[in-house]
Amino acid sequence: MSAAAVLSEQYMGLVVKCDSAMEASWYGETADVNEKRAQDIHLLDCHEYDKTRKTMLTAGLPEVYLSWLGLQALEIYQRPASEMSEQHRFTER
Amino acid sequence: MKYKFVLCLATLLSISSGVVIADVGVNLKLEKIIEVYELKACNPPPKEAGYEFGKFLFNSKVLSGDRDVSCATCHLTEKGLADGLPLAVGVGGEGESLSRLYEGKGTLVQRNAFSLFGRGHLVNTNFFWDGKVDSADDGRVFSPLGNQISKKFSSALAVAAVLPLTERDEFLGKSNFFSANELIKAAGDKYYGERYTALGRPLQERLKKEAKAELSNTSAWGVIESPDFELADIGNGLASFIKTEFACRKSAWEAFLAGNKSALNANQKDGAILFYGKARCATCHSGAAFTDFRFHSIGVPQGEFGPSTRRRDLGRAQVTNKREDMYRFRTPPLLAVGETSPYGHNGIFKTLEEVVLHHVNPILIYLDDSSLSKPQNRLKVSKTLDSRDPKLQSIEIETEDELHRLVDFLKTL
């Protein structure tokens, strides 16, 4: 439970970062040596994702929970929370 | 009780592992950046024989027709070796930096002055915003002075160093119907290639008279008195000085590369990771000088002035006459970039944040700057915007926080 409390948010952030890095490297120009280098550095986000994932599994969190977090991350990071909540606020009193 | 203890231990472990993960993440990435990009701390070259001669030439106004400009006028130490102006102010100007502009008598040089850090010892293949001094693989150096005179120059830097001396707005000086200085008389109405020959003798005569006190006991004096003296001797001296004096910059990033891992704070480290990774800055701002020496367009709006006809600036196309080079400029090196505002070939970006933002959002400057909404600009926006390099599409800066961290890193260079 405590591992979930401490690492879940970080994990969700890394899900999105890794997704972004993988997409960028898929569409990137691999013939360009400096673009390739930038992709290598960007993809380190996926290494960090993997490590966090392993840490959470080692701490006893079930795979299904991590999968759920992955889905949560994709939902949350589509738009910042502030934007999602903005339309629900009263703007006049 | 036992359950509470286990829970407590698990919490502690998790917190500590979380912290470790974050730390290892940043430091590991920085280590990998150094490995992948083969980054090394700057290693200054030894002083060359021409250093003292170059030092004198760099700081002396003897090279300007009206004795009112030196190299140091537009390459100020306190401005990161630039001048703090959107466009440099050349002959006729007084004072330094903004006072040259406010004083109002100087001639505008049509482009932004750039820093000289790292120009000599690094692999500089071309010089100036449009690369008008360019070296070929076989060692020839092309420039407005012509490639046929490249033999006596020690390097492309030496050619670049004398090119301003042949320009009326930068060094030759002002003239009117009744009077002109001897450099204008010798070279003012000549083409560039001829200016090279025409300027050698009068400058030699000036140096013999005006540099004697400082240089007569140095090896430079032999060069000055030589019957074979040419403009290239001045260029070689200047290059020797620039190469050594401005080889390495004492910056936080340099300290970091030299092994001081606390030279950057957490924001700056994050900025470095963005720069070399997802923000894709290093795909063009690569190598030790942070430039690929290639020509790209980021769609910089035309300013009020420019060296091309109708006060425009066509960029690299000025040199190549090729359509695909229109509005392209050499990737600017970034050493000392935090001190060299304003930015862009025409100095249109006031802050570092503005110019970084323009890479990902070229619309804002048109909205924010009312002068760019005037009809003469409003109807021509697509010319520059359509020229933007497709590489810019790869940049990923997703939050304001990331933008700020990137700028924080740039200020460490």
Side-chain angles (χ1 to χ4, degrees):
Chain A
M1 284 299 287
S2 55
V6 173
L7 293 175
S8 291
E9 198 175 330
Q10 182 181 333
Y11 178 77
M12 287 194 287
L14 288 168
V15 168
V16 176
K17 281 184 174 180
C18 177
D19 176 65
S20 158
M22 287 173 70
E23 182 185 288
S25 69
W26 173 260
Y27 290 112
E29 177 57 67
T30 48
D32 180 334
V33 63
N34 283 324
E35 167 62 24
K36 175 76 170 42
R37 285 168 164 167
Q39 287 173 14
D40 287 345
I41 299 304
H42 197 178
L43 283 166
L44 289 176
D45 283 343
C46 294
H47 177 72
E48 211 170 334
Y49 157 82
D50 276 345
K51 281 182 71 177
T52 307
R53 183 180 171 81
K54 296 290 186 295
T55 304
M56 292 173 86
L57 288 171
T58 308
L61 290 169
E63 182 106 31
V64 67
Y65 174 69
L66 299 184
S67 303
W68 179 79
L69 280 182
L71 291 172
Q72 276 289 97
L74 292 177
E75 276 178 27
I76 291 171
Y77 286 90
Q78 296 294 324
R79 289 170 65 192
S82 57
E83 278 182 31
M84 291 172 81
S85 60
E86 191 58 34
Q87 60 189 302
H88 303 298
R89 287 183 198 280
F90 286 115
T91 53
E92 289 178 14
R93 289 183 187 273
Chain B
M1 182 66 194
K2 190 179 173 187
Y3 172 75
K4 277 186 182 170
F5 172 75
V6 171
L7 186 65
C8 195
L9 185 65
T11 306
L12 282 171
L13 280 172
S14 301
I15 290 170
S16 62
S17 62
V19 171
V20 168
I21 285 168
D23 270 348
V24 168
V26 170
N27 291 329
L28 175 76
K29 283 175 183 172
L30 288 167
E31 277 173 28
K32 292 297 166 192
I33 284 168
I34 291 170
E35 175 194 315
V36 167
Y37 286 90
E38 299 170 30
L39 303 178
K40 292 184 184 110
C42 181
N43 188 17
K47 273 187 188 176
E48 291 183 358
Y51 176 89
E52 292 300 332
F53 186 31
K55 185 178 179 182
F56 171 82
L57 294 169
F58 189 86
N59 293 296
S60 168
K61 293 179 177 173
V62 68
L63 298 179
S64 67
D66 297 323
R67 293 179 174 80
D68 58 355
V69 177
S70 72
C71 306
T73 303
C74 296
H75 298 288
L76 302 164
T77 311
E78 63 273 21
K79 297 285 178 190
L81 297 177
D83 63 358
L85 296 174
L87 300 173
V89 176
V91 297
E94 287 176 15
E96 288 182 347
S97 194
L98 282 174
S99 66
R100 292 181 75 72
L101 197 62
Y102 294 146
E103 180 265 342
K105 291 179 189 161
T107 305
L108 275 183
V109 178
Q110 309 287 349
R111 285 188 179 140
N112 181 259
F114 40 77
S115 174
L116 296 179
F117 278 112
R119 286 299 191 277
H121 73 295
L122 302 168
V123 188
N124 282 251
T125 53
N126 52 37
F127 294 84
F128 300 104
W129 282 101
D130 54 12
K132 62 188 165 196
V133 174
D134 205 350
S135 18
D137 292 339
D138 61 7
R140 284 179 301 163
V141 178
F142 296 93
S143 80
L145 300 177
N147 66 56
Q148 75 279 9
I149 55 161
S150 63
K151 286 179 185 167
K152 199 173 177 186
F153 282 108
S154 59
S155 63
L157 173 63
V159 180
V162 295
L163 203 57
L165 308 189
T166 66
E167 303 278 7
R168 294 187 74 134
D169 55 355
E170 293 191 61
F171 270 81
L172 278 184
K174 291 184 171 180
S175 64
N176 59 41
F177 190 75
F178 303 105
S179 67
N181 67 63
E182 76 270 32
L183 301 187
I184 287 274
K185 283 179 187 163
D189 60 352
K190 293 186 166 54
Y191 289 114
Y192 280 103
E194 294 169 329
R195 286 184 190 185
Y196 175 86
T197 317
L199 284 172
R201 197 62 56 209
L203 280 172
Q204 183 180 27
E205 291 308 315
R206 274 193 178 195
L207 287 168
K208 277 183 184 175
K209 286 180 200 156
E210 297 175 38
K212 192 168 186 178
E214 286 196 49
L215 297 177
S216 59
N217 292 325
T218 70
S219 59
W221 196 244
V223 177
I224 292 170
E225 286 204 308
S226 165
D228 300 325
F229 184 88
E230 289 180 28
L231 209 54
D233 291 308
I234 290 176
N236 294 341
L238 283 168
S240 295
F241 174 69
I242 293 168
K243 197 185 286 188
T244 319
E245 189 71 8
F246 309 128
C248 301
R249 183 173 146 73
K250 285 177 187 164
S251 65
W253 179 241
E254 262 307 315
F256 184 82
L257 289 181
N260 178 2
K261 299 303 172 198
S262 58
L264 302 188
N265 64 32
N267 280 359
Q268 292 161 344
K269 285 180 180 178
D270 286 346
I273 293 166
L274 285 163
F275 183 92
Y276 286 102
K278 72 184 244 183
R280 296 295 194 272
C281 311
T283 57
C284 295
H285 294 283
S286 55
F290 296 91
T291 171
D292 56 1
F293 297 104
R294 291 185 182 160
F295 301 88
H296 306 275
S297 168
I298 61 165
V300 177
Q302 292 288 320
E304 295 285 320
F305 303 94
S308 310
T309 56
R310 287 169 276 148
R311 299 198 297 179
R312 296 165 304 157
D313 196 333
L314 300 183
R316 178 63 172 164
Q318 282 266 111
V319 175
T320 64
N321 294 321
K322 290 180 180 169
R323 196 197 175 291
E324 62 266 30
D325 285 331
M326 285 177 80
Y327 312 115
R328 286 182 180 173
F329 294 87
R330 190 189 63 171
T331 306
L334 297 181
L335 294 172
V337 71
E339 296 170 16
T340 60
S341 66
Y343 303 99
H345 68 270
N346 52 16
I348 205 164
F349 303 103
K350 294 177 193 71
T351 65
L352 201 46
E353 189 170 312
E354 267 183 43
V355 67
V356 173
L357 192 56
H358 187 78
H359 288 67
V360 288
N361 187 342
I363 311 298
L364 279 182
I365 191 165
Y366 289 97
L367 299 175
D368 293 346
D369 188 335
S370 58
S371 69
L372 296 176
S373 305
K374 289 178 185 169
Q376 65 267 32
N377 288 313
R378 204 158 62 89
L379 302 173
K380 293 175 181 170
V381 171
S382 77
K383 282 181 183 289
T384 45
L385 286 191
D386 290 351
S387 69
R388 276 167 61 90
D389 198 304
K391 276 172 172 259
L392 295 165
Q393 291 174 16
S394 305
I395 300 174
E396 297 269 355
I397 304 174
E398 291 167 298
T399 63
E400 289 293 316
D401 187 52
E402 286 188 344
L403 177 68
H404 296 149
R405 284 166 196 249
L406 193 52
V407 170
D408 282 348
F409 168 65
L410 291 173
K411 288 177 180 171
T412 71
L413 303 180

